[in-house]
Amino acid sequence: MMQHITRFLANILSPLLAPSYGVFLALWVSVICYQPLGTRMAVFLVVFGITFVIPMFFINILHNFKIIKDWYLYDRKERIYPYLSVIACYIAAAFYLNHVHAPMWLIAFAIGGTLTCIVSTLINFKWKISAHSAGLAGLVALLFHIHFEGLEAFNTFWLIRIMIILCGLVGTIRMYQNQHNLWQVIAGFIN
């Protein structure tokens, strides 16, 4: 039972979903929330497609051609091609956000995600780093920025607390699943 719960939580807190969660938060808790609902939904769905659907499609192709053994990328050496596809998709998301005239801080969030993926990819050649921790740390940073720059539509400090708790939870889950050790989780969060 615990395996099912931890697998479920690791999946919904997947690093591939972090950009979508970040854009969702930006569109619904920052001053951007005053934009029309249809506009916000369209932006969210396009970012979700670019940063989650396309990489998952690519990972599925790699799995079908036996280039990777499993969808969870447990083997550090199998992460290179999926990471490169994610980097390309994050760059595309940043260009898309720029195209729709998103605020610079939201474009910077996408660029930051891209840089985090690049650093994770380079580290991954020698050592396994927690992409789950890196993804959630990016969400914490985004919420801090929204809160402390006065970009929030309402007080988001409680969201920051929840996100920090989720960071601890996902790190614990990844260690429980024997996917990472404490240093790999901490390195992911710092990344």
Side-chain angles (χ1 to χ4, degrees), residues 23 27-28 32 34-46 96 100:
V23 169
L27 295 173
W28 269 267
I32 303 173
Y34 300 114
Q35 293 294 317
L37 178 62
T39 302
R40 289 182 291 143
M41 284 301 296
V43 169
F44 171 75
L45 290 173
V46 170
Y96 170 73
V100 296

Side-chain angles (χ1 to χ4, degrees), residues 19 21 24 65 109 147:
Y21 290 150
F24 180 85
F65 283 102
F109 170 72
H147 180 75

Side-chain angles (χ1 to χ4, degrees), residues 44-107:
F44 171 75
L45 290 173
V46 170
V47 169
F48 177 77
I50 294 171
T51 61
F52 181 76
V53 175
I54 293 172
M56 285 303 294
F57 178 75
F58 186 70
I59 290 169
N60 192 38
I61 289 172
L62 291 173
H63 183 263
N64 288 340
F65 283 102
K66 308 289 188 228
I67 296 170
I68 60 173
K69 292 179 209 143
D70 64 88
W71 289 282
Y72 294 103
L73 306 174
Y74 293 136
D75 185 350
R76 173 181 59 82
K77 294 173 186 165
E78 292 184 355
R79 291 181 168 197
I80 301 304
Y81 293 122
Y83 275 26
L84 292 176
S85 73
V86 168
I87 290 167
C89 289
Y90 282 17
I91 291 169
F95 276 107
Y96 170 73
L97 290 170
N98 185 58
H99 175 74
V100 296
H101 307 291
M104 190 46 136
W105 57 266
L106 188 53
I107 298 166

Side-chain angles (χ1 to χ4, degrees), residues 7 12 72 97 101 110 112 140 151 172:
R7 170 77 49 102
I12 64 168
Y72 294 103
L97 290 170
H101 307 291
V140 171
L151 300 169
T172 302

Side-chain angles (χ1 to χ4, degrees), residues 161-187:
R161 291 177 188 151
I162 291 170
M163 195 57 62
I164 290 170
I165 291 168
L166 287 175
C167 285
L169 177 65
V170 80
T172 302
I173 288 169
R174 299 303 284 165
M175 289 186 295
Y176 173 81
Q177 294 175 326
N178 292 320
Q179 295 307 310
H180 296 288
N181 62 40
L182 178 61
W183 296 112
Q184 293 166 338
V185 168
I186 291 171

